[in-house]
Each structure stands twice: as structure tokens, then as C-alpha cells.
Amino acid sequence: MYHLSLAPQAGRESEAKAFFSRVIFPFVDGTLYSELLEPLMVHFMKDEMQKKNALGDQCLPAKQTLKPVSSVEEVAEAILKAKSEKKVLRVVGSEHSVRDAIFPKDGITLLLTKELRKVEILKIEEECGKKWLYCRIGGGCYLGKNPLDPTSDIKSSACYQVAVQGFGFPELAGIIHQSVGGFISTGSAGGSLQHSFDDVIQEIEFVDGNGCLQTAKPGTDLWCAVGVSMGLFGVITHVSFRLPEMKFVEGTESNLGFADSILGPNEHGQSKLKESLEKHEYMRVNWFPQKEVMRVQEWVGKQSFAAGDIVPYNSILSNIFAAGMAAIALAICNFLLQKPEPTDTDYEIIGDVLGPFVPLNNKPVSFRDIWFETLPMDNKAHTDSIIRVHFTEIWLPLNQCQTIVERLKELFKNQKAANNFATEIYGAKKSPFWLSMSYDQDMVRVDPYWWAYNKGDPRVFFSYFWDVLLDIPGARLHWGKYLPLPGQKCGNTTFNSEYLKSVYPKMHEWLKLRQEMDPDQVFVTEYWRGILDI
């Protein structure tokens, strides 16, 4: 066991104001700043920004009538009641999936509490010279602190409670607001080809559509099916893990021009993306493809147990003042891109505004911190408020990296597709779960970011990417993010149940087992009925 320091970081208002002066001052006069923008930034800094902000709260989830349940028995009772009343029942975690994937239009939504959020430390064992922590965690337990849940704090989180024992999850996504059950059931992942969240899962307990408690274990069809099941098999109540020792993650972040980055060509003219993803223990890339920017932010990391100073990974967007200023920069770019025919001057302004987000640096910026403070590199970037983003997540076979980069370069000649933000690229290790987007093969993922306060239709934006990437053999989409509409034509691919069966070879077996677990379709919303053709 060791002590974790949670002392808050010092304020960075001066750095934030300097950032603002680089990004915004060239386009506004002093009066506009003093009378409008500075008061707006002060408002951004208020605590209520987690739920409201000066740009409006239209993107935040509407209030839902949630039914708290605190035990397996209460979950079973709620399911049987819904079954008898012929209502659809779903579970809400941190609401990081698209709304229609979570909530029934006229049904019951459970919120897991108390016993179903506990972390139980079972034992520590040494096996083949390595120590492992065995634990059982409630499906409603958040991986980290969920800023939208006032009852959530870091010390009650799954990551903190295993970290104080000296162990950890070897892979995490860019944020850790999610519940354990929600994270695994949508197939979510971090950026690594060497580690997977799925690798450390030992058992998955859930209550099925008949109100019966089921336990799925590795090596069984039930295990392979329920691991990624979008809540359509039942309510995940507990997940058991076998976790390795972990302490620090250290690494660097660099901002490079496209040609000098891992996306650029090697001596043979091929993109270095695949070899870089395979080389680094952890890696993610943010590509700013605007023609007056064309820069790539590379984040790479590795595990460490060596003694040394803590050097936090600290994006400027972790400061709410700076995040608010970045929001104004995004708004300016979005305004220009909404013009029917943006001019060369408009694109130059977009470059001038976005360039300071990724200033070219000759020396990479280093970081070294506790694993759960470092792996979720976007956790403090106000992604639930000012820098809230929506995205689709397109998973493609790793051996298609060259084709992916070529198609994206061609796509970004259309500056509407380049948009006003980054496109994230990172890897995912293969998974044993039938409906995992990385089932049976390593994958690379493409996540185009859509700022939630943009004017325009995110589906139009995401369709640019669906049209050029879904035709690549083996392309799959993250179940919890934006999906094409059923029947939508994406390039030469039609998004429908036939397409899903073609890219998920075990889809038929999954559907058959799902029917056994939920014969009365207690968990099937109209959204999932349309996508899966249930």
C-alpha cells in the first residue's frame, strides 16, 4: 500500500491569459474583450460550469426520472416488475454514450448505488514472481470521479481504491468518468496494443431478463457474448478483476508538423503510424488537419516503478479559464466554416486561431505521475462542460494504417471535414468479446471531434468519415458513440444488420444467446431494435 497525494494543482490564470492573448487578441479589440469576453471567461470559472455555461446548456442531458437500486435483489425486483408491466428497462452510468443508446423513451432507468458501487478487495497473491490484486467492483462504481454526479468523489472511485493497494488497470480511456459496467459493455478502450481492460476481467455478474443472477466466466459463450452487450443481456451488477502491480506512467507529448510526425512518411514513403503504435506501450495522436495548421500532437507513455519526482501531465485546457477561451476560439472557427464559401483569408484566420493549441515545440514536454492521473489524459479538460465533444469512433484493422492515412489526407482537402478541432487516432488490442470492435484482431481507431456547441449537424460531419472509412474491410463502429442511421448509405456500404453480421462473425450466436437471456425483450429500446434488427 502507498499514499496518494491529491493536493490540487496551483491556478494557471496567468498562463491562461497569455494563451488567450495569442489566440484571440488578433481578432478582437480591447472594448470587446473588456465588455464581453472577459466577463464571459469569469462566468466560465464558476463551479456551476459543470452543468451550465454561458453558451447554453442545450447539449447537456435532460433530467431523467431515475430509479436508484442498491442491491442485486433490488435489481431483480425492478426487472421482474418491468417485465410484468411490459416496460423497457435500462441502466444509466455516466451518460457518455449517445442518449438514445441509454434511455428508453417510455420505460424505467436504473441508477446503481451503495452496494453496487463498492470496491471489495478480495486478496493479493503472488504468481510466477508477480503480485496480483483480486477484487470485485460494483457495476455502478465510477472508474474515477464523475463530475456530473454530486455524490461522486475520487476516493470512492475504482481507480483510487486499487491504486492505494499498489495495483491498477493496465489500460484506461482518455477520461475515467465512466461506470465500470458502462465502460465494458460498450467495448470502450484506451490507447494501447500491449494492454487491454478486457485482459484483467475475471467474472461478469449480471441479472438477466428473467430476474436471474448470472455469472459469466472466461472460456464460455456467455462470457464472450456478455462482455460487450450494450446492456441488452441484463444489468451488470459486479465485475471481478485480477489486477497487476502499477505505480507510475511516464512519457512525453510533442507537437510536430505533419511531415515530421508519425503520420508522415518514412524513408519508403509509407506512414509511420502502424510501426509507432506497435512500438509504444501507450500512444495517442491528435491530428489538426486544417490546411493552415497541419500539425500532429503525439502523446506516448510507458509504465514505471522507478523512484522520481511527480511531473503531472497538464494540458492548458485543464484550467477552466483557458478552456473557456479555447471555446471562443472554436466558436470563431465554426462561424467561419459555416459560411457558404469560406475564403482563403477565413482559412488563414482559422489557422491563426487553432495554431496556438498545438505550438510547434523543439523539445517534447515530459510527464510522470500516478497511472490513473496520467493515462486519462483528457480527464481534466472540461469535456463535460466547456470542451464537451461528440464523436463517432471508427475502428479499423491495424494492417490498414496506410490506407487510413491516405484516405484521411484526401478527405481533409475538404475543409468542412477538417472542421475546427482535432481527429484522434490510437490503437486497441484484440478482445475475446464477440461484439467488441477489436474482436479477434488489433485495431486502430479514428475519432473525429465535434465540439458540442458548434452550429451545424454533427451527423453531416461524421458522414464525411463514414463515407470514406466504412468501405475499408473490417471497419466497425463504437456502440456507444454516433452511428449512421439504419439503412444509411456510407460510401459503398449500407449501415444495416447485414453489414453488422459481415463485420462481426459471431453476431448470429450473440443474437441467439441474447434472446435466451432476455426472451421478453425487457432491455431492447427502439434505438437498438432498429440498429440490430431485433
Side-chain angles (χ1 to χ4, degrees), residues 184-202:
I184 68 169
S185 65
T186 54
S188 298
S192 177
L193 294 176
Q194 298 179 30
H195 303 289
S196 168
F197 201 86
D198 300 346
D199 289 345
V200 294
I201 301 174
Q202 292 286 287

Side-chain angles (χ1 to χ4, degrees), residues 17 44 111 114 177 188 198 368 471 501 523:
K17 288 179 180 177
F44 276 154
L111 178 67
K114 297 182 181 178
H177 306 163
S188 298
D198 300 346
R368 185 176 190 275
D471 283 343
K501 289 173 183 175
F523 308 113

Side-chain angles (χ1 to χ4, degrees), residues 60-337:
L60 296 179
K63 295 290 184 183
Q64 292 288 331
T65 302
L66 304 179
K67 177 179 174 55
V69 287
S70 60
S71 67
V72 172
E73 292 74 22
E74 288 183 8
V75 170
E77 289 173 8
I79 291 173
L80 292 175
K81 187 172 187 292
K83 182 177 180 178
S84 67
E85 295 176 352
K86 300 189 183 306
K87 288 189 175 182
V88 175
L89 181 143
R90 299 287 291 168
V91 180
V92 64
S94 60
E95 301 184 31
H96 273 274
S97 292
V98 295
R99 289 187 53 77
D100 286 344
I102 306 170
F103 298 108
K105 291 184 178 178
D106 181 23
I108 300 161
T109 306
L110 301 185
L111 178 67
L112 306 185
T113 65
K114 297 182 181 178
E115 177 193 319
L116 302 178
R117 287 191 182 181
K118 284 184 178 179
V119 177
E120 302 173 62
I121 305 300
L122 302 177
K123 61 181 178 179
I124 295 174
E125 288 192 350
E126 186 168 335
E127 302 164 11
C128 300
K130 292 185 179 180
K131 289 184 178 179
W132 300 88
L133 174 74
Y134 288 80
C135 60
R136 181 172 177 260
I137 302 177
C141 184
Y142 301 119
L143 289 167
K145 177 182 177 180
N146 177 9
L148 295 183
D149 185 342
T151 69
S152 173
D153 62 73
I154 189 63
K155 288 190 175 181
S156 65
S157 71
C159 285
Y160 182 88
Q161 293 195 56
V162 300
V164 296
Q165 302 289 333
F167 297 82
F169 298 100
E171 185 218 44
L172 292 169
I175 58 171
I176 51 173
H177 306 163
Q178 311 95 323
S179 66
V180 168
F183 189 76
I184 68 169
S185 65
T186 54
S188 298
S192 177
L193 294 176
Q194 298 179 30
H195 303 289
S196 168
F197 201 86
D198 300 346
D199 289 345
V200 294
I201 301 174
Q202 292 286 287
E203 291 183 350
I204 302 172
E205 300 172 33
F206 67 100
V207 181
D208 67 19
N210 296 309
C212 298
L213 181 64
Q214 302 274 357
T215 301
K217 301 189 179 207
T220 66
D221 283 354
L222 184 59
W223 164 265
C224 294
V226 78
V228 178
S229 52
M230 297 82 76
L232 296 172
F233 273 54
V235 176
I236 294 176
T237 53
H238 294 92
V239 183
S240 296
F241 295 94
R242 175 180 178 264
L243 301 177
E245 290 185 281
M246 286 187 68
K247 195 167 187 181
F248 303 112
V249 168
E250 60 186 21
T252 60
E253 184 174 79
S254 307
N255 297 326
L256 304 166
F258 177 85
D260 298 321
S261 75
I262 68 163
L263 299 179
N266 60 18
E267 64 274 17
H268 305 295
Q270 300 293 299
S271 170
K272 300 185 288 289
L273 176 59
K274 181 175 182 290
E275 63 188 82
S276 297
L277 291 173
E278 291 174 328
K279 172 183 175 182
H280 294 288
E281 191 171 359
Y282 301 105
M283 183 164 200
R284 79 95 173 255
V285 171
N286 273 328
W287 181 2
F288 288 77
Q290 299 77 18
K291 66 179 181 179
E292 298 295 337
V293 183
M294 279 303 285
R295 296 175 188 174
V296 177
Q297 184 180 76
E298 300 176 0
W299 186 105
V300 297
K302 64 180 181 179
Q303 292 185 30
S304 172
F305 289 89
D309 294 335
I310 294 293
V311 182
Y313 172 76
N314 201 11
S315 164
I316 193 170
L317 297 184
S318 63
N319 175 272
I320 199 166
F321 193 88
M325 293 183 284
I328 290 178
L330 293 171
I332 290 172
C333 296
N334 178 244
F335 170 79
L336 296 173
L337 289 168

Side-chain angles (χ1 to χ4, degrees), residues 358-527:
V358 277
L360 296 175
N361 49 10
N362 295 324
K363 183 179 179 181
V365 177
S366 298
F367 54 83
R368 185 176 190 275
D369 205 344
I370 297 165
W371 59 271
F372 73 82
E373 294 282 3
T374 307
L375 288 177
M377 70 288 288
D378 296 327
N379 208 51
K380 298 176 182 176
H382 300 283
T383 55
D384 282 295
S385 54
I386 307 170
I387 310 298
R388 184 176 177 85
V389 294
H390 301 312
F391 49 92
T392 189
E393 190 166 292
I394 307 167
W395 298 50
L396 301 135
L398 186 66
N399 60 13
Q400 295 288 341
C401 280
Q402 182 64 28
T403 300
I404 293 164
V405 173
E406 289 175 354
R407 292 197 181 190
L408 288 177
K409 284 175 63 178
E410 185 66 26
L411 172 64
F412 291 142
K413 291 178 181 178
N414 174 2
Q415 290 294 285
K416 300 282 188 181
N419 201 30
N420 64 340
F421 214 153
T423 292
E424 185 177 29
I425 301 175
Y426 51 151
K429 186 180 177 183
K430 68 179 181 180
S431 168
F433 299 134
W434 288 343
L435 257 59
S436 168
M437 294 77 69
S438 60
Y439 172 64
D440 210 28
Q441 61 181 323
D442 292 342
M443 303 289 269
V444 60
R445 295 128 74 192
V446 176
D447 293 19
Y449 290 164
W450 174 266
W451 186 46
Y453 302 100
N454 278 340
K455 291 187 179 298
D457 186 346
R459 286 192 169 277
V460 172
F461 172 63
F462 295 142
S463 290
Y464 293 133
F465 295 82
W466 295 332
D467 286 347
V468 300
L469 296 180
L470 286 198
D471 283 343
I472 295 176
R476 299 164 177 164
L477 293 163
H478 191 302
W479 294 108
K481 308 308 176 186
Y482 272 79
L483 299 174
L485 298 173
Q488 180 174 337
K489 196 74 180 294
C490 303
N492 295 314
T493 299
T494 301
F495 183 77
N496 55 22
S497 60
E498 292 307 309
Y499 154 76
L500 292 174
K501 289 173 183 175
S502 72
V503 296
Y504 291 100
K506 292 290 189 176
M507 175 68 80
H508 176 76
E509 290 89 337
W510 184 89
L511 286 168
K512 181 179 179 182
L513 196 50
R514 201 219 70 80
Q515 178 64 21
E516 293 177 17
M517 293 294 107
D518 182 27
D520 297 297
Q521 301 187 359
V522 175
F523 308 113
V524 184
T525 62
E526 289 304 310
Y527 175 82

Side-chain angles (χ1 to χ4, degrees), residues 13-29 32-34 36-38 40-41 316 321-322 324-329 332 356:
E13 283 74 11
S14 60
E15 185 179 352
K17 288 179 180 177
F19 175 78
F20 182 80
S21 68
R22 295 197 306 272
V23 176
I24 302 299
F25 275 162
F27 310 105
V28 302
D29 60 32
L32 179 61
Y33 171 69
S34 62
L36 175 62
L37 298 184
E38 188 170 35
L40 183 62
M41 293 305 98
I316 193 170
F321 193 88
M325 293 183 284
I328 290 178
I332 290 172

